[in-house]
Each structure stands twice: as C-alpha cells, then as structure tokens.
C-alpha cells in the first residue's frame, strides 16, 4: 500500500524572509523507480511544481531561485522541502506527490497518482 503523509498541520504562517520546512513521508514505493515532487497551488491558480526528484536529479521551479532545497532521505523515507527567504507570493497550499515510475516529461500535479492533502502556507509581509 502506498502512503504519503505530510507533517506540519493544515496551515502555517510565517513572516516574509522567514524559513519553513515541510516534510513528507513516503512508503510503499520503490525510491529508485519513483517520481516525487512538491507542488503548490494558490487560490484561482494552476498548481505549479516547486521541486521534483527523479532518476537522482532534482529540479526546481523557476520562481525558486535558490531559496528552496529538496532533501530526500531514503533511510527515513522522507522527502523534505526546506524553504528560505519566503515571500508573500509564496503563499499557497503546498502538497507532496509521488508516482510509480519515471515520467520523462514535465508532469502536472494531476498526473501524479499519490498526493497529500497539503498545508496552507501563508507568508505575511
């Protein structure tokens, strides 16, 4: 059984310039043959990829600009997103996704079979 669990609660607030770490535990998927990512979705907007790891390579959304880091710990079965220098425009629901197999294209969030409900991240100015 595949299970994704996101820690941190349903919502969190942080001031601009602050940091936040989101954690996702993943079980039931082979790490060497899975595509995992963090997405975010702001109200009225499409979901956008924040960070993705596949085939041992990590990719970030263009808006990240070195502020976020994706950490995969296979021993702990976690996929953590460390976010620094947060901006008000980073306000969105952040959720963890996973898919068995590797997608060779840039997938949308709906193409992942497994996802967490998400955490509302609000960045105050």
């Amino acid at each position: 059984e595949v299970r994704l669990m996101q820690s941190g609660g349903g919502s969190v607030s942080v001031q601009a310039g602050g940091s936040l770490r989101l954690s996702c535990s993943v079980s039931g998927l082979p790490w060497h043959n899975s595509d995992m990512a963090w997405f975010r979705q702001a109200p009225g907007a499409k979901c956008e990829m924040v960070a993705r790891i596949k085939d041992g390579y990590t990719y970030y959304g263009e808006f990240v600009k070195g502020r976020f880091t994706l950490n995969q710990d296979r021993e702990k079965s976690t996929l953590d997103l460390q976010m620094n220098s947060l901006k008000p425009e980073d306000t969105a629901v952040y959720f963890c996704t996973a898919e068995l197999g590797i997608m060779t294209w840039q997938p949308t969030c709906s193409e992942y079979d497994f996802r967490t409900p998400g955490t509302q991240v609000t960045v105050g100015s």
Side-chain angles (χ1 to χ4, degrees), residues 31-103:
W31 286 80
H32 68 282
N33 189 33
S34 294
D35 194 317
M36 300 181 185
W38 281 92
F39 280 85
R40 72 182 189 181
Q41 188 165 22
K46 295 181 180 180
C47 60
E48 58 182 342
M49 189 270 288
V50 179
R52 177 188 180 195
I53 185 165
K54 70 179 184 78
D55 282 339
Y57 293 94
T58 304
Y59 306 88
Y60 295 94
E62 289 186 6
F63 61 88
V64 171
K65 299 186 186 302
R67 299 181 297 131
F68 300 172
T69 303
L70 185 65
N71 295 294
Q72 183 187 67
D73 189 327
R74 295 190 178 188
E75 288 190 4
K76 297 180 180 179
S77 297
T78 57
L79 187 70
D80 291 355
L81 180 66
Q82 176 67 43
M83 301 187 290
N84 300 324
S85 302
L86 284 162
K87 306 174 182 179
E89 50 264 43
D90 292 321
T91 294
V93 174
Y94 287 72
F95 53 96
C96 173
T97 63
E99 174 75 12
L100 175 63
I102 306 298
M103 291 180 278

Side-chain angles (χ1 to χ4, degrees), residues 5-21:
M5 295 184 65
Q6 184 174 339
S7 62
S11 65
V12 62
S13 296
V14 63
Q15 290 300 307
S19 298
L20 184 65
R21 189 177 186 91

